[in-house]
Each structure stands twice: as structure tokens, then as C-alpha cells.
Amino acid sequence: MTSLSARQPIRAALGAFLGTMIEWYDFYCFGTAAALVFGDVFFSSNDPAVAAFASLGTFAIGFVARPFGALVFGHLGDRIGRKTTLIVTLLVMGTGTTLMAFIPSYHSIGIKATIILVVLRMVQGIAVGGEWGGAVLIASEHAPERWRTFLAAAPQYGSPVGLILATLMFRIVSSLPKEDFQSWGWRIPFLASALLVAIALIIRRTVDESPEFERRKAQRDVNHVAPLRMVLRNHKKALLIGIALCMHASAGFYFLTTLMITYTTTFLKVPKPQILDVVAWCGAVELVALPVGSLIAHKIGERKFLVLVTGALCLWALPMMHLIGSGNIVDIAIGILVAIALIGSYYSVLPSFLPRAFPVEMRYTGISLSFQLCGAIFGGTTPLIGVSLAKTFGGDWLPLGILFLLISGATFLASVFIPMEEPEKRGEDTIETERMNASQSAIPSANRIP
């Protein structure tokens, strides 16, 4: 192995981390702005709870768009390559986020402002829909087997770092006078995205294509793969349980960040800077939990580790919300940060564990659909459901605790029952792929996947 190729696993992991960090920075900027300011800037309502609900509705729209991104970019990633696809997702995301900084307010152009916001939010969602699966694969498929659990987790570090950057940016601008914050202050974090995208683009262009994809491309199989059809025909069970396995990566996380910002500031009257400080600490705690989780899972086994962590989240659900419901910022911090530590350790294992449920020829599509369908169905709607429950029950913590318990229970069951691909099963899938290829283009058997 040459010195250059020996460095590729690290370079691929770094490229996956930096690109994902910026994509999630963009995504968290929107989520934070939706919780803090979009209700006043882009919606007209005298009821703060109604404005918050409408604002979080635009947040949910991004999740609805993510499965479409998973379909489009998953197909491209399985057909033309991981690297090219990831460069496109980065450019699309950065463009959509930067343009948000220039949208006039509702009070200036009326409903047109809301429509533009929704369209750009959908652009964000489509880009993120293709980002996670490709970043995970380009890191894991470059990694040697002994380091796979650690290097495959590289994109996961992008999420907490992006959260920290976005939260700190809003922590700074939210200290401005209210009029300045609502007119131009909130736009600064979105403008910063353009510079970050330029840096990430340079990094991603230096990463080689996935070695596994290159081997398949040399065999000419990539031109005849129909990944979506293969997933839906042969791996429906893995897809459905994979969606449940991703529950804490989307619904659980946005419960603790976006929903808790809205719940604590709107219903418990916690000052915005205080809860933003707690959310910023979420990123720091997650950064510690990620390597610790990877190390423990490497030693005891990924499935066993996921079962233990998701079981612990089930036990913590009600005590956590009892602490948050007190309205005391110290209790709120304890409740949220303990849960974030558990979710962070679970999140570190997800990128190396979930791809094992799908063969390589449909892997980008399979894991992207699992992650993004979960986000569309549960991630974006969780803050909406939470606000509705809080409004209905007068801000009581118990219904929200039960909601978090349901999220935790679904992830626990999925970690127990999700099927993993055995070599014999991969052989059957490859035979099926060869049959499809033969029927479509009569490729000689010598050129098929062995």
C-alpha cells in the first residue's frame, strides 16, 4: 500500500466529518431560528404558541423532503459514486442556506416570504437526505475492518460540532436588541454558511472514491443496478426495522434540542440564552460520548451495546422530563445532558451497524432511506407533536415524558430485531443482481459480481 493510499482512510473520514459538520450546521441554524425567531419574522399571529407551531411546521417540511433526497442521491451514489454525489449535496445545501439570509420578512412582502422560506427549507431537506448515507459509506468503505467502527463514526462528529457552531452563533446574535435580532441579526449565521461550504468543498475534492464502489465499477455492475427496486423487493424488513433503529438519531435528538428550546422558553418561561447554553453543551457532551461509545461497542459488540444504551434511555425518559418540567435550569441541564450522552454513544455505533443490514449494491439507498424516512415520519413531527401536547395539557411534563419513552422503546426493539447480512445471504442477493443484469443487458457471467 502506497503512502498516499494509506492516508486515504483518514482523509475520507476527515472529508466526511467536515462536510457533514457544515451540512448539519446549516440544518441546525434553521431549527434554532425556527424555535427562536421565524414565528415572529415569517408568520403573523398574536399567540406565541400558534406562531411557534407554524414556525416548527416549516422545520418539519425539511424532514418531509429528506426521503426524496435519499431516493435521488441514494440512486446516484449507488450508480455514479459516493464522492461526486457528496459534492453535489454539499453545494445544494450551502446554496439553500445562504439564500435564506436574504429573504424579506412577512411584514415586508407578506405570504411570499413564507413561501420562499418553505421552498428553501425543502432544498435543505433534499440535500441532507443524500448527505448522511454517502458520508457514512465513504468513511466506512475506506476503513480497514479493525478500525471500521471508529472511522465509520467520523460523520457523526459533524453533528455535534455543527450543533455547537450553530448554537454559539445564535447565542451571540440573540444578545442583540430584539429589533436588531429580528431584522438582521438572525441572518448572520446563515451568511456564514457560504464560507464554510467553500472550505468543505476543497476537502471533499481531495478524497478518493470508495474502494468497494471502484471494484464494482470495474466489474461494470454499477450501470445495471436498480437499488430502490432491490431494497423494496428483497429487504423490506431491514428497511422497516432500520427506520425504527434511527428513531433516536432524529426524533430523540430533535426532542432534546428543537422541542426543548420551544417548550422551555414558551411554556416554562426559561430565558432564551440559558436554554441555548444547555443546547451548546449538548454538542460538547456528544463529542465525548461518541468515542466512548465506539470503544465500548468495539469491545462488547455493536448489537449488545445498542440494546444496553437504548434500554437505558427507556428508563431515563420519565425522570428526565420530571427534571425539565421543574423549570430550574440546572435540573433541565441534567435531564437533557444525560439523555444526550446516551444518544451520542448510540449514534456512534449506528453508521457501522446499520449498513450491515444491506448488501453493497444497494447500501447507499438502503441506509439513506432508513435514516431519512425516519426523519420525515418522526423527526420533523416530534417537535410539532410535543408543542401540541404541551399546549393541550398546559405545559405538563408527563405527556412529553411518555412521548420520549415511546421513541426510546421503538429504538430498543429495533436494535434487538434488525437482521444482519450473512455471507450466504449476500451471495443470494448477488445472484439476484446477476439475474437482473443478465435480463437487462446480458452481461457475461465472468463480469458479474463474484
Side-chain angles (χ1 to χ4, degrees):
M1 181 179 289
T2 66
S3 174
L4 182 62
S5 61
R7 291 196 297 268
Q8 273 299 311
I10 301 299
R11 184 176 295 178
L14 179 62
F17 158 70
L18 289 174
T20 305
M21 176 197 74
I22 292 165
E23 298 236 6
W24 284 113
Y25 166 84
D26 292 351
F27 211 70
Y28 291 138
C29 276
F30 191 100
T32 306
L36 292 180
V37 70
F38 280 176
D40 296 323
V41 175
F42 293 110
F43 300 92
S44 179
S45 175
N46 295 323
D47 187 339
V50 172
F53 190 84
S55 179
L56 290 175
T58 62
F59 180 72
I61 286 171
F63 287 88
V64 174
R66 282 163 62 166
F68 295 98
L71 286 173
V72 173
F73 292 115
H75 183 82
L76 292 176
D78 284 325
R79 292 287 294 270
I80 69 173
R82 283 55 161 138
K83 176 181 176 178
T84 301
T85 303
L86 285 172
I87 289 175
V88 174
T89 62
L90 183 63
L91 289 173
V92 172
M93 184 72 172
T95 300
T97 303
T98 303
L99 289 176
M100 286 181 181
F102 300 98
I103 306 175
S105 70
Y106 180 92
H107 304 288
S108 298
I109 61 173
I111 194 65
K112 292 179 182 178
T114 308
I115 294 172
I116 295 171
L117 179 70
V118 169
V119 170
L120 292 179
R121 176 58 175 170
M122 292 179 68
V123 170
Q124 268 195 333
I126 289 171
V128 169
E131 164 65 24
W132 184 81
V136 163
L137 292 183
I138 205 159
S140 65
E141 292 177 353
H142 269 285
E145 183 62 30
R146 63 177 298 187
W147 297 108
R148 190 172 184 272
T149 300
F150 296 96
L151 293 180
Q156 311 303 77
Y157 291 86
S159 176
V161 173
L163 174 64
I164 291 172
L165 289 177
T167 305
L168 288 178
M169 288 290 286
F170 273 92
R171 178 67 174 83
I172 294 170
V173 298
S174 67
S175 299
L176 293 168
K178 183 177 180 180
E179 294 77 12
D180 292 339
F181 176 58
Q182 291 185 345
S183 63
W184 58 267
W186 67 267
R187 302 175 189 271
I188 294 175
F190 291 87
L191 283 172
S193 176
L195 176 61
L196 296 175
V197 167
I199 296 171
L201 185 61
I202 294 172
I203 299 297
R204 281 201 167 167
R205 287 175 62 88
T206 67
V207 178
D208 290 344
E209 182 55 84
S210 156
E212 288 190 49
F213 179 84
E214 286 295 315
R215 284 194 291 270
R216 290 175 53 239
K217 185 176 180 180
Q219 296 169 330
R220 295 183 296 171
D221 294 317
V222 295
N223 296 323
H224 306 282
V225 167
L228 177 60
R229 185 196 313 169
M230 296 171 71
V231 169
L232 295 180
R233 182 170 60 186
N234 302 328
H235 288 77
K236 289 190 291 291
K237 179 180 179 181
L239 177 63
L240 292 174
I241 302 181
I243 291 171
L245 185 67
C246 296
M247 285 283 282
H248 264 306
S250 55
F253 188 81
Y254 290 110
F255 181 102
L256 295 171
T257 53
T258 303
L259 173 58
M260 287 300 102
I261 291 175
T262 302
Y263 173 67
T264 56
T265 57
T266 302
F267 296 94
L268 303 182
K269 306 305 178 183
V270 174
K272 292 179 181 178
Q274 289 187 0
I275 189 61
L276 286 175
D277 286 343
V278 173
V279 174
W281 274 105
C282 287
V285 169
E286 193 176 1
L287 279 176
V288 175
L290 282 166
V292 172
S294 295
L295 179 63
I296 298 174
H298 183 70
K299 291 183 177 296
I300 71 173
E302 293 175 350
R303 187 189 294 271
K304 182 178 180 180
F305 179 77
L306 286 174
V307 170
L308 291 174
V309 170
T310 54
L313 282 162
C314 290
L315 296 175
W316 183 242
L318 296 183
M320 175 192 75
M321 279 310 306
H322 178 68
L323 288 170
I324 294 172
S326 71
N328 180 278
I329 193 62
V330 175
D331 290 344
I332 291 172
I334 293 171
I336 291 176
L337 295 179
V338 169
I340 282 291
L342 292 170
I343 288 180
S345 60
Y346 141 89
Y347 200 42
S348 71
V349 180
L350 185 65
S352 60
F353 186 73
L354 181 59
R356 299 180 190 273
F358 301 95
V360 65
E361 61 265 27
M362 64 185 82
R363 189 172 291 158
Y364 199 138
T365 299
I367 69 171
S368 294
L369 279 177
S370 296
F371 194 82
Q372 307 306 344
L373 283 173
C374 179
I377 299 169
F378 303 107
T381 57
T382 294
L384 288 173
I385 294 170
V387 169
S388 179
L389 288 172
K391 186 173 176 61
T392 301
F393 293 95
D396 187 17
W397 62 266
L398 183 57
L400 295 178
I402 294 173
L403 176 61
F404 193 80
L405 178 59
L406 292 174
I407 294 170
S408 302
T411 313
F412 171 78
L413 292 175
S415 65
V416 173
F417 293 110
I418 189 168
M420 293 287 101
E421 283 296 303
E422 300 295 337
E424 295 80 10
K425 182 63 178 174
R426 285 198 295 270
E428 292 172 9
D429 288 327
T430 300
I431 291 171
E432 179 63 25
T433 303
E434 291 174 356
R435 289 173 180 166
M436 291 172 58
N437 291 344
S439 65
Q440 294 172 2
S441 59
I443 295 176
S445 59
N447 291 329
R448 299 176 193 163
I449 300 175

